[in-house]
Amino acid sequence: MNLHEYQGKEILNSFGVEIQRGIVAQTPEEAVEAAKKLTEETGTGWHVVKAQVHAGGRGKGGGVKLAKNLKEVEDIAGEIIGMNLVTPQTSKEGKKVNQVLITEDVYYPGDSEPEEYYMSVLLNRATGKNMIMYSTEGGMDIETVADETPHLIFNEEVDPTLGLMPFQARRIAFNLGLSGKAFKQMTKFVTALYKAYTESDSSLFEINPVLKTSDDKIIAVDAKVSLDDNALFRHKDYAAMRDVREENPVEVEAREAGLSYVDLDGNVGCMVNGAGLAMATMDLIKQAGGEPANFLDVGGTADAERVETAFNLILKDPSVKAILVNIFGGIVRCDRVAQGIVDAYKNMGNIEVPIIVRLQGTNADKAKELIDNSGLAVESAVEFQEAADKVHKVLS
Ligand code: GDP
Ligand code: MN
């Protein structure tokens, strides 16, 4: 689950990470109130208006702007709220901005050289360890830095049994070229950031830029945070931060129905039980010359009702040209799933997309019979390869 910048910063702050302070606003009037309050609290004269959407690169798309007085706060907020923000990380249509974060200006006017660094904490799947990735080249696309100047990106791997050791935090501050007060502040920053990452059960914390001010404060100016969905049950307060307006509506509906669904770009919808079989099925579709339109695991207890819900979800995707159902009846009986498919098909009326169904396991024969005798445009397959061939046939 992804968070907004303001939510990520709230979590960071609760673990003692210094942040650029801000107040979220839904309207230009609220933006002005927020700016006044920030001036009282922080003494800031200028403010930054920042679009809150789940996408990076907002600055480049015109979603982050400096306001030098309250009139500008109001005007810029009015411009950004409601706009469709297009950034290098959104689709061509962009993302609708529902709210803005009004922040203090932490780049002091007249400050010649504020330093911007990059820092993220994530899991290195190859080594199975958390890793702090950081660079002196902050404020820009880390992908560009990786392409053009890869030697300016550093990694610090953390031993899970020891946690982040003080010498590691010092090495990071050293590699960033810091000394004196800034060095000390950076070690504190890294230590608090790592604690925030582990204790919130996150899968990513990316701070770009981390700012060093001319008076040697180290501040998180941005925050991109992804929490691990599987750990949300023990963070009810974070779970409540979910903003479904930012999420794919079909994925939201699937989650509410207890199905695991991920939208993909292809043309063959798949309905499968079990993540392993789902992955094998996606490979099968590729081999047959198609591309999976989604990942959908209806779970080990796929009953008729879940099957019908799943069908509805898949058919919402207009790029679906065929549906492959591949279900192993271990706990569930195949004939019940088959009945579910037939019922769903009938209930939904004019489905024009060809459906290929492979049911294996308990009562597979009965299931095949049910499908073949249903009089519907549903093809049954018994073998894996047979299913692939049939997908190939309907696509070509
Ligand atoms: P992103 O474009 O989505 O990554 O959004 P960021 O939060 O990283 O902001 C984009 C850019 O806005 C930063 O790289 C800074 O250059 C600039 N920016 C952010 N905060 C301030 C600020 O307080 N003052 C000034 N002058 N610029 C800022
Ligand atoms: Mn950023």
Side-chain angles (χ1 to χ4, degrees), residues 135-155:
S135 175
T136 48
E137 308 305 291
M140 55 165 147
D141 246 10
I142 197 64
E143 286 79 13
T144 312
V145 183
D147 282 345
E148 291 168 9
T149 49
H151 59 284
L152 295 177
I153 299 181
F154 302 92
N155 283 329

Side-chain angles (χ1 to χ4, degrees), residues 11-12 14-17 121 132 164 188-202 205 238:
I11 297 180
L12 285 170
S14 72
F15 286 95
V17 180
V121 191
I132 299 174
L164 181 73
K188 269 172 73 179
F189 183 94
V190 171
T191 308
L193 171 63
Y194 189 76
K195 190 168 157 59
Y197 168 85
T198 50
E199 293 193 11
S200 62
D201 289 311
S202 292
F205 258 90
Y238 300 161

